Amino acid sequence: MAGHGQHVDPWAEVDFDEIQDQTCLEVDDIKVLFNCFQLFDSKHQDYLLADDIDEVMRAMGFRPTATELAALIEEIDEDGSGAIEFGEFAQLCAKFLVEDPDPGTMQAELKQAFRVFDKAGTGFITIVQFRGIIAEVDKNLTEEDLDDIIAEINEDGSRTMDFEVFCEMMM
């Protein structure tokens, strides 16, 4: 039989690395989304219409408001075609799958990070230390951006910041 024994890779057309970079989703999650995408792409056009996305999202258990959905589609349908390709679809779903941690969890993680820099346990870190932290967290910041952020924080001239201010700046 012709073709017998040849294995067809169902994921051949999925660029997992690119989608992971854009969404922070795991490969297994991307595979599930691809299967959903194919189910809804009943005409096998390799895209879904933006007009149908609300129905698709609801079928998958997501409940975006009309406003949220319109904003997300505008953000994700980069070429404005109204045709949502799989990569765009994955980004859209990721907005609902990759949840922001709750504020309590976030604050606990920030407290741990703060303690690393507040070695003496004074309840303060220096502005120089904070500048290093934000430069590390956001590599796109220029020296001028960093100077502006530091100037805003250091209004009192103390050259230090406490945990509360640190949290405000990081959240």
Side-chain angles (χ1 to χ4, degrees):
M1 288 212 316
H4 183 60
Q6 287 183 337
H7 178 72
V8 178
D9 181 2
W11 316 115
E13 57 195 271
V14 180
D15 184 343
F16 288 105
D17 290 338
E18 184 181 339
I19 292 171
Q20 279 189 295
D21 287 347
Q22 293 170 337
T23 65
C24 300
L25 292 172
E26 297 297 324
V27 168
D28 288 345
D29 294 330
I30 296 169
K31 287 179 177 180
V32 168
L33 290 178
F34 188 68
N35 286 338
C36 291
F37 181 84
Q38 289 187 309
L39 284 173
F40 291 109
D41 179 22
S42 54
K43 296 178 187 159
H44 308 291
Q45 305 172 107
D46 294 328
Y47 65 85
L48 302 173
L49 293 173
D51 296 345
D52 298 334
I53 292 294
D54 182 47
E55 190 179 323
V56 171
M57 298 301 284
R58 291 187 186 289
M60 292 175 65
F62 303 127
R63 303 278 180 264
T65 65
T67 312
E68 280 177 324
L69 192 63
L72 284 170
I73 288 172
E74 189 175 323
E75 178 187 331
I76 285 164
D77 184 19
E78 289 168 3
D79 54 8
S81 63
I84 308 295
E85 290 91 16
F86 177 66
E88 295 169 325
F89 177 74
Q91 288 178 55
L92 185 69
C93 293
K95 302 273 186 202
F96 297 93
L97 292 170
V98 180
E99 306 252 334
D100 289 331
D102 65 275
T105 304
M106 187 85 163
Q107 196 159 10
E109 288 173 7
L110 287 174
K111 186 85 173 162
Q112 263 183 316
F114 189 82
R115 281 193 188 116
V116 169
F117 294 97
D118 179 21
K119 290 179 174 56
T122 60
F124 294 94
I125 61 172
T126 68
I127 294 298
V128 173
Q129 287 171 312
F130 183 70
R131 183 188 178 111
I133 295 168
I134 54 177
E136 191 61 36
V137 169
D138 187 347
K139 305 234 188 270
N140 296 325
L141 292 172
T142 64
E143 288 299 314
E144 192 178 322
D145 293 336
L146 292 168
D147 290 342
D148 290 346
I149 293 168
I150 296 307
E152 186 183 317
I153 296 168
N154 197 40
E155 286 174 344
D156 65 357
S158 69
R159 313 267 316 132
T160 61
M161 71 189 313
D162 64 12
F163 178 66
E164 196 174 303
V165 173
F166 177 74
C167 273
E168 285 171 23
M169 295 307 298
M170 297 303 286
M171 286 176 110

